[in-house]
């Protein structure tokens, strides 16, 4: 399997070559030359497979330059009942009639990002050991991604992680999750400022090509291809859990922000998984819902991004969307280049009048959005009707998913975070706090390890120079 760029300007490369990089050299995103196909017979054969076996069967088609036995070992080490608190890794529970909840948030940080990030940590460590290299990962977080990345890189050899977060602006739970980590390769840097200040510092440091090369600076953001591949697995797992035979179709409801999760669903469908609909749910930041309804993809300036009660979906642009558009324009890199030139110059592109958009239905997407009120009502309704408590992001997915529910087609709604992560919103909806999983009860009392810095890229560089691996 070789990888190319959505903008056509990259020599085909192997998985290990593209694993650690971010954008392709031409500014596009990396994508397989072609998607592997899975037959109905193979699907049926996978019905008895464990999560690990299934993960190996799927991921090995995308990762052809790591010996199968090594890949198997990395996967086996990642997807354990101990790390994901369930032998199923992504357990499926019946919720309402014909509606299932696919639990993706039982990893260490209680959100679905752990599923991909935990594998990424092991893949990074393996590939760095093989090449004798090391990495100083620099990131900015407002909560979810940063903690997931830190837990994935804990104690990994030849990797240090420097995570910037806005000082005293994360919830006490999120802060404790990150700052209580004591491993010497984790560096929490609390910046006096807001999340955008943190992100600006990461950009400034990354734009200093000399510094970046000299200190082996890397990132783990949501455009990382390996993260997308790891997420393909649970679409298969969810499908197999609710069907008896590979002639059946299911639909998935996916709470979406950067289009990383649902991009994996798109790929699973392109591989031949019988997905009827990919139901994309946004919150008030409805960039993607707008596209699927109108054909216009319009990014929002930072000041137009609304702060919502499903904060991990508060986005101004959907960084993985270019991967889908590449397929939607029949894999023509010249068209992709032109569309993103328009985004850069005028802030949007409009496919409404094109055949690409007229035939977009062939990809199975439908969409909707959810407001604060919708998600509060959905949390209450699900609690009333089933006794289950769902988090705010999951509630956005359920709200839109239920609008598209069809008789006779199982609807799999993804649980992308546990409610314990967003206690304040649950309390606002239900008047009670959700239970925390074992081990998280007194997390705020654990001793914390972090430094506080001004919003100053030079100070952060200096810190990496002193403490990074060089
Ligand atoms: C990141 C995140 C999302 C959005 O996923 P994308 O891959 O960005 O579309 C949804 N829910 C939760 C809880 C998240 O952390």
């Amino acid at each position: 399997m070789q990888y190319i760029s959505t903008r056509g300007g990259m020599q085909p490369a192997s998985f290990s070559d593209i694993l650690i990089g971010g954008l392709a050299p031409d500014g596009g995103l990396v994508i397989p030359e072609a998607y592997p196909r899975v037959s109905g017979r193979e699907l049926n054969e996978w019905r008895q497979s464990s999560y690990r076996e299934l993960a190996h069967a799927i991921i090995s088609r995308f990762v052809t330059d790591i010996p199968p036995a090594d890949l198997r070992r990395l996967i086996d080490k990642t997807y354990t009942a101990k790390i994901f608190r369930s032998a199923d890794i992504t357990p499926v529970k019946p919720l309402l009639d014909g509606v299932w909840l696919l639990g993706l948030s039982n990893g260490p940080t209680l959100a679905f990002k752990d599923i991909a990030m935990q594998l990424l940590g092991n893949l990074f460590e393996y590939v760095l050991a093989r090449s004798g290299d090391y990495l100083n990962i620099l990131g900015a977080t407002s909560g979810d991604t940063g903690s997931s990345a830190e837990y994935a890189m804990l104690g990994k050899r030849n990797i240090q992680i420097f995570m910037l977060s806005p000082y005293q602006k994360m919830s006490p739970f999120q802060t404790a999750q990150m700052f209580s980590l004591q491993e010497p390769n984790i560096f929490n840097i609390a910046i006096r400022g807001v999340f955008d200040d943190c992100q600006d510092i990461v950009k400034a440091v990354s734009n200093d090509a000399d510094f970046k090369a000299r200190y082996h600076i890397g990132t783990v953001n949501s455009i990382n291809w390996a993260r997308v591949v790891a997420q393909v697995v649970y679409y298969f797992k969810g499908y197999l859990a609710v069907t008896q035979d590979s002639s059946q179709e299911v639909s998935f409801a996916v709470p979406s922000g950067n289009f990383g999760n649902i991009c994996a669903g798109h790929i699973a469908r392109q591989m031949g998984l019988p997905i009827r609909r990919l139901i994309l749910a946004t919150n008030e930041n409805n960039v993607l819902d707008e596209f699927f309804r109108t054909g216009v993809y319009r990014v929002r300036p930072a000041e137009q991004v609304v702060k919502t009660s499903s904060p991990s979906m508060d986005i101004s642009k959907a960084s993985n969307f270019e991967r889908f558009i590449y397929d939607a324009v029949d894999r023509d890199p010249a068209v992709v280049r032109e569309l993103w030139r328009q985004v850069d110059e005028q802030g949007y592109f409009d496919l409404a009048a094109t055949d690409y958009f007229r035939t977009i239905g062939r990809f199975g997407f439908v969409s909707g959005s959810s407001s604060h009120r919708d998600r509060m009502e959905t949390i209450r309704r699900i609690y009333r009707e089933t006794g289950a408590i769902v988090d705010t992001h999951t509630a956005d997915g359920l709200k839109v998913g239920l609008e598209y529910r069809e008789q006779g087609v199982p609807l799999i709604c993804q649980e992308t975070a546990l409610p314990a992560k967003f206690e304040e919103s649950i309390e606002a909806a239900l008047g009670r706090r959700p239970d925390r999983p074992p081990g998280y009860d007194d997390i705020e009392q654990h001793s914390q390890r972090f430094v506080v810095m001004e919003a100053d890229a030079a100070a952060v560089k200096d810190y990496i120079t002193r403490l990074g691996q060089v």
Side-chain angles (χ1 to χ4, degrees):
M1 166 76 66
Q2 294 283 97
Y3 291 89
I4 53 177
S5 165
T6 50
R7 300 196 193 172
M10 183 179 105
Q11 285 302 314
S14 70
F15 179 83
S16 304
D17 291 333
I18 56 133
L19 172 64
I20 286 170
L23 289 176
D26 61 354
L29 302 187
V30 294
I31 193 105
E33 268 180 336
Y35 297 120
R37 293 283 302 179
V38 170
S39 67
R41 193 175 49 79
E42 274 174 306
L43 255 187
N44 280 332
E45 282 168 11
W46 289 347
R47 288 188 179 278
Q48 308 309 322
S49 300
S50 67
Y51 192 93
R52 288 189 285 278
E53 288 163 344
L54 189 61
H56 187 258
I58 293 166
I59 296 171
S60 62
R61 304 199 176 188
F62 293 96
V63 182
T64 50
D65 65 335
I66 293 179
D70 289 358
L71 185 62
R72 186 67 212 241
R73 194 172 44 76
L74 296 172
I75 287 170
D76 286 353
K77 174 161 114 173
T78 303
Y79 297 111
T80 67
K82 186 157 182 273
I83 297 172
F84 288 94
R85 288 179 300 119
S86 126
D88 278 349
I89 309 300
T90 58
V92 176
K93 284 190 305 211
L95 193 68
L96 302 165
D97 189 28
V99 182
W100 277 265
L101 197 63
L102 174 61
L104 303 178
S105 45
N106 300 314
T109 74
L110 315 184
F112 89 99
K113 292 193 173 68
D114 290 333
I115 293 181
M117 207 73 92
Q118 287 287 320
L119 181 65
L120 202 66
N122 287 323
L123 285 169
F124 272 27
E125 184 176 53
Y126 174 86
V127 168
L128 289 170
R130 206 167 61 172
S131 61
D133 205 350
Y134 63 85
L135 200 60
N136 289 308
I137 295 173
L138 176 65
T141 188
S142 53
D144 268 8
T145 313
S147 64
S148 183
E150 289 188 353
Y151 281 78
M153 301 301 163
L154 273 188
K156 294 281 183 284
R157 271 161 299 154
N158 301 318
I159 300 175
Q160 315 226 51
I161 181 161
F162 296 83
M163 190 56 68
L164 313 184
S165 58
Y167 183 45
Q168 294 181 333
K169 298 223 166 52
M170 295 188 295
S171 75
F173 183 86
Q174 281 179 321
T175 307
Q177 258 193 329
M178 289 177 55
F179 291 7
S180 63
L181 295 176
Q182 304 294 335
E183 273 70 6
N185 71 326
I186 308 288
F187 298 92
N188 282 301
I189 305 177
I191 297 289
R192 290 188 202 281
V194 294
F195 171 65
D196 285 329
D197 297 316
C198 301
Q199 213 164 20
D200 288 345
I201 294 172
V202 173
K203 274 191 206 140
V205 175
S206 302
N207 287 341
D208 180 343
D210 281 346
F211 185 86
K212 194 175 168 202
R214 179 143 180 231
Y215 293 99
H216 299 217
I217 303 293
T219 52
V220 285
N221 45 27
S222 84
I223 58 164
N224 182 287
W225 170 251
R227 285 180 62 183
V228 178
V229 171
Q231 291 166 357
V232 170
V233 178
Y234 56 69
Y235 284 85
F236 282 82
K237 187 82 177 124
Y239 173 85
L240 293 169
V242 309
T243 58
Q244 285 78 46
D245 183 89
S246 62
S247 61
Q248 287 170 277
E249 286 188 320
V250 306
S251 293
F252 283 92
V254 186
S256 293
N258 272 315
F259 204 82
N261 185 350
I262 205 163
C263 184
H266 164 67
I267 290 164
R269 194 172 182 275
Q270 296 298 106
M271 290 170 73
L273 188 67
I275 298 176
R276 179 169 162 75
R277 281 179 170 169
L278 286 163
I279 305 169
L280 182 149
T282 70
N283 65 17
E284 290 87 334
N285 298 291
N286 60 348
V287 179
L288 290 167
D289 181 33
E290 179 174 61
F291 173 78
F292 284 103
R293 280 186 295 104
T294 67
V296 176
Y297 176 65
R298 186 168 55 85
V299 304
R300 317 283 198 254
E303 63 276 9
Q304 275 178 29
V305 177
V306 185
K307 249 177 100 64
T308 75
S309 45
S310 44
S312 301
M313 291 155 60
D314 293 348
I315 51 121
S316 61
K317 60 181 172 37
S319 45
N320 274 288
F321 192 50
E322 187 170 331
R323 289 197 165 106
F324 168 69
I325 289 295
Y326 180 67
D327 288 337
V329 300
D330 302 330
R331 303 199 131 217
D332 184 342
V335 177
V336 175
R337 278 198 302 276
E338 170 56 21
L339 293 176
W340 261 268
R341 190 191 61 75
Q342 292 175 19
V343 171
D344 290 342
E345 281 176 14
Q346 64 189 28
Y348 72 93
F349 62 72
D350 181 356
L351 292 184
T354 65
D355 281 340
Y356 302 130
F357 193 68
R358 268 182 227 115
T359 57
I360 205 124
R362 70 193 190 278
F363 294 104
F365 280 86
V366 290
S367 73
S369 64
S370 166
S371 65
H372 178 72
R373 185 158 165 200
D374 292 328
R375 81 184 66 93
M376 293 290 129
E377 275 173 9
T378 304
I379 291 169
R380 280 194 285 270
R381 170 179 170 196
I382 296 295
Y383 187 58
R384 198 170 57 234
E385 292 180 19
T386 73
I389 302 184
V390 294
D391 104 288
T392 48
H393 307 76
T394 306
D396 287 334
L398 274 160
K399 185 261 177 185
V400 177
L402 291 172
E403 287 171 354
Y404 285 104
R405 182 180 181 181
E406 293 171 287
Q407 198 52 253
V409 182
L411 173 63
I412 302 176
C413 294
Q414 295 186 353
E415 177 189 65
T416 57
L418 287 194
K421 231 180 154 165
F422 300 96
E423 289 171 337
E424 297 76 13
S425 297
I426 302 302
E427 191 158 32
L430 300 179
R432 61 158 286 194
R433 293 205 152 211
D435 295 334
R436 288 186 181 184
Y440 291 81
D441 279 337
D442 60 350
I443 183 170
E444 290 93 337
Q445 267 68 61
H446 298 183
S447 68
Q448 300 194 348
R449 181 170 157 268
F450 63 100
V451 294
V452 182
M453 278 189 201
E454 299 304 321
D456 172 10
V460 171
K461 278 186 189 170
D462 182 54
Y463 188 77
I464 295 173
T465 310
R466 283 186 290 114
L467 295 168
Q469 185 170 3
V470 292

